[in-house]
Amino acid sequence: MTIRSYYGDSYRWEFDATVLEVLDESGAPRVVLDASYFYPTSGGQPHDTGTLGNANVMDVSIRASDGALLHHVDAPVAIGPTNATIHGARRFDHMQQHSGQHILSQAFIRVANATTIGFHLADTVSIDLDAPALSDATIADATEVANQLLAANVAVRAWFPSAEELADITLRKMPDVDGPVRIVAIGDFDISACGGTHVARAGEVGLLSVVRTERMKRGTRIEFMAGHRARADYARKHAIVQQLSAALTCAPAELPDAVARQANTIADTRRALVAYRERDLDDEALALAAQATQHGAVKVVRATWTGRAIDEVKGLALRLTTEADTVVLFGVDGARVQLVFARSENVTLDLKPAFDRALAALGGGKGGGGRILMGSASSMGAAALEEVLGNVELPS
């Protein structure tokens, strides 16, 4: 069983060790050391990465049979002495996020009596709380409590208490473990059972920022950032604010009003464009009606387009067939060919047989509808579409 040296020192990122075992599983070597500062994936915290000799440590896991740490490497490692290096930036980031989680979890207990029931540390960091809903004000209050604790820069202590000492410690949750229990105390603010790596003082977490909340079946998920992640997030957002302020020629504090004005202007412009487009379609419908051919008592309007929005074509069909005694036969060529056949309410002609024949001639299946029939097929080209529509025969 590997001695887990990281329990005693989270800041030791270079060390010497002895390789006891090298396992080769399908070409993927696994190395067991006598003692290791590499943290394995566990407790919601991801594994460390680094090097063992000339090999890269890609993953670290716990062997179920005896608790030994398996260092997953990308190259052979020999039995015997070796030197190791942990990627310090990744480790310290995890320390900041994990210590920040303990502090934020306790803050939500104090502010909202909301207990943490889940913890996730990856590209994003979050805690799941057993509270079904939390107001923005409550979240802000908890965040403020957490950041005040960071400013106090209290000491963080991690140790394995004796059974007698453990009996006198009140924990947020007693873990279900068979063996010694490791305690992490952040001043007298929070005392929790935890096997993860943590900072030595709360101030090293630097900053805590809640970035998103999500309602879940079992409560509320709070996504947050701590330390370097929070500062980098602030820098990104500050740059965006500066860019927007320059683009809208306003001070940062005036951005909400400036954006609201822009949104109103865009909405007004869209409404105006819709009105203009509707008038254009009215004029186009009149022009198409003037080109209609006569089929008994019915006027027939035929037209084809390439790459036109089908909603516009349907709009033209509806405009034309609001007039009595009108049939429209429309087609649009594009990635797929689309047909729109329509008739006025007073027209009793059954367009379905002619529509089905036209669609079949274009290689399509069956379309459908009532007064307006619509269907599509693979494109055979604009010329083929025009020929098919030109040959449509309507019943007498």
Side-chain angles (χ1 to χ4, degrees):
M1 182 174 178
T2 311
I3 297 173
R4 302 191 187 189
S5 303
Y6 59 81
Y7 280 151
D9 187 355
S10 295
Y11 294 84
R12 185 73 175 273
W13 301 336
E14 294 185 16
F15 63 97
D16 295 324
T18 300
V19 176
L20 301 180
E21 296 179 58
V22 177
L23 311 172
D24 193 343
E25 301 176 6
S26 302
R30 307 286 192 266
V31 175
V32 177
L33 304 178
D34 61 337
S36 179
Y37 287 90
F38 279 94
Y39 185 81
T41 298
S42 58
Q45 180 177 329
H47 61 85
D48 289 326
T49 58
T51 62
L52 274 180
N54 295 321
N56 292 306
V57 178
M58 313 302 294
D59 194 356
V60 185
S61 59
I62 301 172
R63 186 160 62 187
S65 61
D66 61 0
L69 300 189
L70 298 176
H71 303 74
H72 303 223
V73 292
D74 64 355
V77 177
I79 296 288
T82 188
N83 63 295
T85 301
I86 293 171
H87 291 154
R90 175 184 170 92
R91 160 66 75 80
F92 190 65
D93 170 62
H94 292 167
M95 290 162 63
Q96 287 184 314
Q97 309 310 315
H98 203 157
S99 296
Q101 176 263 310
H102 281 221
I103 294 166
L104 191 61
S105 290
Q106 180 61 236
F108 273 107
I109 290 175
R110 298 192 178 201
V111 170
N113 196 29
T115 301
T116 295
I117 56 177
F119 168 50
H120 316 274
L121 199 172
D123 293 335
T124 60
V125 191
S126 63
I127 53 175
D128 296 338
L129 303 175
D130 61 2
L134 292 170
S135 68
D136 290 343
T138 298
I139 293 169
D141 287 345
T143 305
E144 177 62 20
V145 168
N147 280 298
Q148 287 177 358
L149 191 280
L150 300 187
N153 196 27
V154 298
V156 178
R157 180 190 177 202
W159 80 105
F160 287 92
S162 65
E164 293 77 11
E165 186 183 1
L166 182 61
D168 292 332
I169 296 175
T170 300
L171 300 176
R172 276 198 273 122
K173 180 183 178 182
M174 178 60 74
D176 183 17
V177 297
D178 182 17
V181 175
R182 183 169 181 259
I183 301 298
V184 174
I186 301 175
D188 59 4
F189 181 78
D190 182 73
I191 303 177
S192 303
C194 181
T197 56
H198 290 271
V199 297
R201 302 195 70 89
E204 293 181 72
V205 174
L207 174 67
L208 273 168
S209 174
V210 172
V211 295
R212 193 171 71 90
T213 63
E214 178 185 354
R215 289 287 302 275
M216 303 174 64
K217 286 184 178 180
R218 60 177 189 164
T220 302
R221 176 163 291 176
I222 305 291
E223 184 180 322
F224 71 94
M225 293 182 179
H228 299 321
R229 293 194 192 193
R231 286 192 290 275
D233 183 61
Y234 167 79
R236 285 192 297 268
K237 290 174 179 175
H238 179 69
I240 291 170
V241 167
Q242 293 298 101
Q243 292 169 7
L244 289 174
S245 294
L248 298 176
T249 61
C250 67
E254 298 169 341
L255 274 175
D257 289 339
V259 170
R261 287 193 298 271
Q262 289 286 332
N264 290 334
T265 299
I266 291 171
D268 291 342
T269 302
R270 284 175 175 169
R271 284 191 289 269
L273 286 173
V274 169
Y276 285 131
R277 189 59 188 143
E278 291 297 311
R279 285 197 289 271
D280 287 345
L281 289 175
D282 289 341
D283 293 341
E284 187 176 0
L286 289 174
L288 287 169
Q291 302 170 13
T293 58
Q294 207 69 31
H295 179 76
V298 174
K299 294 174 290 185
V300 180
V301 182
R302 302 174 196 247
T304 63
W305 298 269
T306 297
R308 187 164 190 178
I310 195 63
D311 287 343
E312 290 186 1
V313 174
K314 185 179 178 182
L316 288 170
L318 288 170
R319 284 169 167 79
L320 287 162
T321 56
T322 54
E323 299 294 327
D325 305 322
T326 303
V327 167
V328 298
L329 309 175
F330 288 165
V332 181
D333 189 49
R336 290 182 65 80
V337 66
Q338 299 182 83
L339 296 183
V340 179
F341 285 16
R343 59 175 175 79
S344 305
E345 290 283 1
N346 74 316
V347 173
T348 59
L349 294 178
D350 183 6
L351 299 181
K352 189 67 166 65
F355 177 80
D356 287 343
R357 286 194 297 271
L359 197 58
L362 292 166
K366 291 187 177 181
R371 189 170 68 84
I372 297 181
L373 300 168
M374 300 181 66
S376 64
S378 298
S379 176
M380 298 173 64
L385 175 60
E386 287 188 23
E387 182 180 355
V388 167
L389 283 189
N391 292 332
V392 169
E393 295 183 4
L394 298 174
S396 302

